[in-house]
């Protein structure tokens, strides 16, 4: 039939020697040198609308505008500031944080084994590189889909030493950063559009974006800003009632501890309330713990694994960790892991199957996970330098967190809770009716208007609080305290000058 159809068409168009027979999905056909246009297959209206609805504020409008300014400065174009200071994302090494020497030496030795004989590497660097090469197929080959087995074992040992409870290496999956693990678990958890997941407000946009992509219901529970962003169990209970009334089936609860963007560290009491809540409502607990080494206040970090085991709870728990944060800051290596606790064996098989579609996570990232959880120990040749670098980065972050929050609190109409953990401050800003009206005229949220004005005047790139979620009629922005100390001084000076000018043009009352 198709041959007859083609012959008939050729008979009808005898002079169209350049005619191509195409499917309806093609957008152009060439006929006698002329283009006959058809509508595109991919248009905004004819694409996956869930993707269209995704938002990821930390790489959004302000970052694009900041990049334009940076390029203009490189060309020598005039700007009212000497440089762009990126405070929008937790990307430590992009703003000057140094890498840890031990990590880079082991990676270099594995990437180019001849360096083990020609470079002056410490003996423990060579021993670690040789051990990892002997127990893998090298950096250029796939590993098992769960990851290199000896690295899974190192992660399990790290978890046991941290929490006092054993960890099963077979229940540990090495991933491309924590984000891949989060998206994998959410994709398995969500069955249809009536399934929902509870996420903190404010939250890291990975969660809202992934749930939007999956077509799931986002159920935001408010953190209590007046009490250092503590988790309010009453807010959780109220949200369950609302969800049930709307016919939503709640499947899981996300906790980010230490918090992003809020910087709080949960108390043990709060954590026990969360576990009890998940057990009461039969929810999977997703514990984002990538900032567990970034703790600067008096409240120590406790893992949800420890709390679940202490309480002898049967809840299903997934914990995430990453090499991108902490003192390593190796965002570009995309290394991470997740541990699954109290899951059925058949679910573990489905997680394995899902990850195996991508074959494995990248091998340098896996090696970096090994070096994060199994660093040099006292008495080894690399330990003195590792300890000096690690503690130097930690103390600098702790000092910058304090300085930034103190500086922000000096601004009129700005209040900022202390950053007890993570890499961010999340100040609340008061905006007057004139600023809100100007924002409406520009068709942006008021906090976006403030952040755009800040960028245009100072070159400082921060993220509006609306990108993370915030209570109605409150306005915030998120800023990192990752730039070097001298840059933090500049950030505070530029912000203070801008803020005073902004309030002169847009008074609070």
């Amino acid at each position: 039939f198709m041959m007859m159809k083609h012959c008939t068409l050729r008979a009808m168009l005898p002079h169209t020697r350049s005619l191509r027979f195409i499917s309806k999905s093609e957008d152009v056909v060439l006929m006698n040198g002329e283009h006959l246009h058809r509508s595109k297959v991919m248009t905004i209206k004819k694409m996956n609308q869930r993707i269209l609805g995704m938002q990821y504020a930390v790489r959004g409008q302000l970052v694009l505008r900041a990049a334009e300014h940076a390029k203009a400065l490189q060309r020598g174009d005039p700007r009212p500031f000497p440089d762009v200071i990126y405070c929008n994302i937790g990307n430590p090494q992009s703003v000057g944080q140094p890498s840890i020497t031990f990590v880079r030496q082991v990676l270099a030795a594995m990437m180019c084994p001849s360096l083990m004989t020609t470079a002056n590497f410490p003996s423990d660097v060579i021993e670690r590189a040789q051990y990892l090469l002997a127990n893998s197929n090298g950096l250029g080959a796939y590993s098992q889909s769960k990851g290199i087995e000896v690295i899974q074992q190192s992660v399990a040992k790290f978890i046991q030493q941290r929490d006092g409870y054993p960890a099963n290496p077979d229940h540990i999956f090495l991933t491309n950063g924590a984000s891949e693990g989060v998206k994998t678990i959410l994709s398995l958890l969500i069955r249809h559009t009536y399934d929902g997941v509870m996420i903190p407000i404010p939250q890291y946009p990975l969660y809202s974006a992934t749930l939007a992509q999956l077509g799931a219901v986002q159920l935001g529970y408010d953190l209590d800003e007046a009490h250092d962003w503590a988790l309010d169990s009453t807010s959780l209970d109220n949200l369950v009632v609302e969800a049930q009334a709307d016919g939503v089936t709640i499947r899981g609860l996300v906790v980010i501890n230490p918090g992003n963007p809020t910087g709080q560290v949960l108390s043990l009491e709060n954590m026990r309330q969360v576990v009890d809540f998940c057990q009461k409502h039969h929810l999977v607990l997703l514990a984002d713990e990538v900032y567990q080494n970034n703790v600067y206040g008096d409240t120590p970090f406790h893992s949800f694994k420890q709390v679940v085991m202490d309480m002898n709870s049967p809840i299903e728990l997934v914990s995430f960790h990453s090499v991108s944060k902490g003192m390593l800051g190796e965002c570009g290596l995309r290394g991470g892991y997740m541990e699954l606790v109290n899951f059925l064996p058949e679910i573990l098989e489905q997680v394995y199957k899902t990850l195996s579609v991508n074959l494995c996570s990248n091998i340098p990232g896996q090696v970096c996970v090994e070096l994060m959880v199994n660093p040099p120990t006292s008495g080894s040749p690399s330990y003195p330098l590792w300890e000096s670098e690690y503690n130097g980065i930690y103390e600098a972050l702790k000092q910058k967190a304090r300085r930034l929050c103190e500086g922000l609190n000096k601004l009129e109409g700005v209040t900022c809770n202390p950053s007890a953990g993570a890499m961010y401050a999340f100040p609340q800003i008061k905006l007057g009716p004139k600023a809100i009206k100007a924002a409406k005229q520009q068709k942006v949220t008021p906090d976006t208007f403030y952040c755009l004005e800040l960028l245009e005047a100072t070159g400082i790139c921060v993220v509006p609080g609306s990108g993370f979620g915030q209570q109605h009629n409150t306005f915030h922005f998120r800023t990192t305290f990752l730039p070097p100390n001298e840059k933090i001084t500049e950030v505070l000076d530029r912000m203070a000058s801008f803020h005073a000018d902004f309030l002169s043009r847009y008074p609070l009352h």
Side-chain angles (χ1 to χ4, degrees):
F1 171 78
M2 290 302 296
M3 289 180 64
M4 290 176 61
K5 182 178 180 181
H6 287 179
C7 290
T8 303
L9 282 171
R10 288 197 183 278
M12 292 171 61
L13 300 169
H15 302 297
T16 57
R17 288 186 292 176
S18 59
L19 177 66
R20 291 189 299 112
F21 291 94
I22 62 172
S23 70
K24 290 182 179 179
S25 63
E26 293 187 71
D27 61 63
V28 173
V29 60
L30 186 66
M31 185 178 294
N32 287 337
E34 296 181 3
H35 286 84
L36 302 181
H37 296 277
R38 295 184 179 179
S39 62
K40 297 285 188 183
V41 174
M42 290 288 288
T43 67
I44 290 297
K45 291 183 178 180
K46 294 192 290 185
M47 64 172 282
N48 185 336
Q49 295 299 296
R50 292 176 180 175
I51 301 296
L52 191 63
M54 288 173 57
Q55 300 291 330
Y56 192 66
V58 297
R59 290 287 179 97
Q61 174 187 6
L62 274 112
V63 183
L64 296 175
R65 181 61 179 152
E68 291 176 8
H69 284 310
K71 290 179 181 177
L73 288 167
Q74 288 175 351
R75 293 192 302 265
D77 297 346
R79 289 293 185 273
F81 43 84
D83 58 0
V84 173
I85 303 178
Y86 289 97
C87 295
N88 62 296
I89 192 168
N91 191 13
Q93 294 187 25
S94 72
V95 288
Q97 180 173 306
S99 57
I100 299 289
T101 300
F102 179 75
V103 171
R104 293 305 181 90
Q105 286 180 332
V106 173
L107 283 167
M110 293 184 67
M111 185 68 75
C112 183
S114 63
L115 290 176
M116 286 188 270
T117 57
T118 61
N120 190 26
F121 287 152
S123 59
D124 56 342
V125 166
I126 295 173
E127 289 167 6
R128 186 71 66 91
Q130 289 175 336
Y131 171 75
L132 292 170
L133 287 170
N135 287 277
S136 68
N137 293 312
L139 293 186
Y142 295 132
S143 71
Q144 295 295 320
S145 293
K146 288 184 179 180
I148 297 170
E149 186 176 2
V150 294
I151 300 179
Q152 290 176 275
Q153 293 168 358
S154 289
V155 173
K157 184 178 179 181
F158 160 79
I159 292 171
Q160 181 168 350
Q161 290 173 340
R162 183 193 65 190
D163 300 334
Y165 293 100
N168 187 338
D170 282 341
H171 297 175
I172 293 166
F173 298 80
L174 304 183
T175 55
N176 288 306
S179 300
E180 182 182 47
V182 169
K183 290 185 281 190
T184 298
I185 296 301
L186 288 176
S187 69
L188 290 166
L189 194 60
I190 299 303
R191 304 162 300 177
H192 47 64
T193 56
Y194 296 102
D195 281 344
V197 174
M198 301 175 73
I199 60 176
I201 298 298
Q203 54 95 31
Y204 177 50
L206 165 68
Y207 295 96
S208 55
T210 304
L211 291 171
Q213 182 179 5
L214 295 170
V217 180
Q218 302 169 34
L219 301 166
Y221 62 89
D222 290 324
L223 301 177
D224 187 354
E225 186 171 9
H227 294 88
D228 292 331
W229 299 110
L231 192 155
D232 181 6
S233 58
T234 303
S235 174
L236 298 180
D237 291 329
N238 292 341
L239 198 55
V240 169
V241 174
E242 293 173 15
Q244 290 174 342
D246 291 337
V248 175
T249 302
I250 306 177
R251 299 280 287 159
L253 171 71
V254 173
V255 176
I256 307 173
N257 182 43
N260 177 9
T262 47
Q264 88 285 6
V265 179
L266 291 181
S267 67
L268 273 174
E269 179 187 2
N270 245 182
M271 297 174 76
R272 293 185 187 111
Q273 290 172 343
V274 169
V275 173
D276 281 337
F277 179 84
C278 289
Q279 186 166 335
K280 176 182 177 182
H281 295 285
H282 305 289
L283 305 179
V284 173
L285 175 57
L286 290 80
D288 183 333
E289 298 175 339
V290 301
Y291 296 100
Q292 60 188 260
N293 292 325
N294 297 95
V295 176
Y296 318 113
D298 297 329
T299 304
F301 169 79
H302 296 278
S303 74
F304 269 102
K305 167 73 176 291
Q306 176 192 337
V307 175
V308 166
M309 300 304 288
D310 283 349
M311 297 175 66
N312 196 28
S313 172
I315 70 165
E316 293 142 286
L317 165 70
V318 193
S319 300
F320 306 96
H321 198 10
S322 169
V323 304
S324 299
K325 312 306 176 185
M327 303 321 119
L328 269 63
E330 294 284 5
C331 299
L333 290 178
R334 310 307 301 133
Y337 74 79
M338 59 180 175
E339 182 193 20
L340 278 69
V341 178
N342 291 332
F343 280 81
L344 293 171
E346 51 265 40
I347 296 301
L348 294 173
E349 291 173 5
Q350 296 304 310
V351 174
Y352 171 80
K353 180 182 72 176
T354 303
L355 290 173
S356 68
V357 173
N358 293 325
L359 298 174
C360 68
S361 61
N362 81 89
I363 307 304
Q366 292 189 39
V367 170
C368 199
V369 169
E370 156 74 18
L371 304 176
M372 174 181 70
V373 301
N374 187 15
T377 54
S378 180
S380 64
S382 295
Y383 182 76
L385 179 57
W386 177 88
E387 182 184 39
S388 173
E389 292 175 337
Y390 189 97
N391 290 342
I393 293 169
Y394 173 80
E395 290 299 330
L397 288 171
K398 183 177 180 180
Q399 181 186 23
K400 290 185 290 185
R402 177 185 55 79
R403 287 187 62 211
L404 184 63
C405 291
E406 288 177 355
L408 289 167
N409 278 316
K410 292 177 181 177
L411 304 180
E412 183 183 356
V414 177
T415 55
C416 184
N417 284 329
S419 293
M423 297 176 170
Y424 317 100
F426 196 66
Q428 182 176 158
I429 51 174
K430 301 294 184 183
L431 296 175
K434 190 175 179 181
I436 293 172
K437 181 179 178 181
K440 187 175 182 180
Q441 289 172 343
Q442 293 189 20
K443 298 181 180 179
V444 295
T445 62
D447 51 358
T448 299
F449 174 72
Y450 180 90
C451 294
L452 283 167
E453 291 281 303
L454 174 68
L455 174 62
E456 296 300 317
T458 68
I460 298 170
C461 182
V462 298
V463 188
S466 50
F468 303 90
Q470 54 195 353
Q471 286 196 350
H472 184 60
N473 284 334
T474 67
F475 308 110
H476 301 77
F477 64 84
R478 189 190 79 167
T479 175
T480 72
F481 43 80
L482 292 173
N485 246 316
E486 60 274 15
K487 281 294 182 184
I488 293 295
T489 301
E490 243 185 281
V491 166
L492 290 171
D493 288 345
R494 293 190 201 180
M495 277 189 175
S497 176
F498 160 78
H499 192 74
D501 177 70
F502 183 88
L503 291 185
S504 71
R505 293 181 289 123
Y506 302 100
L508 293 178
H509 305 290

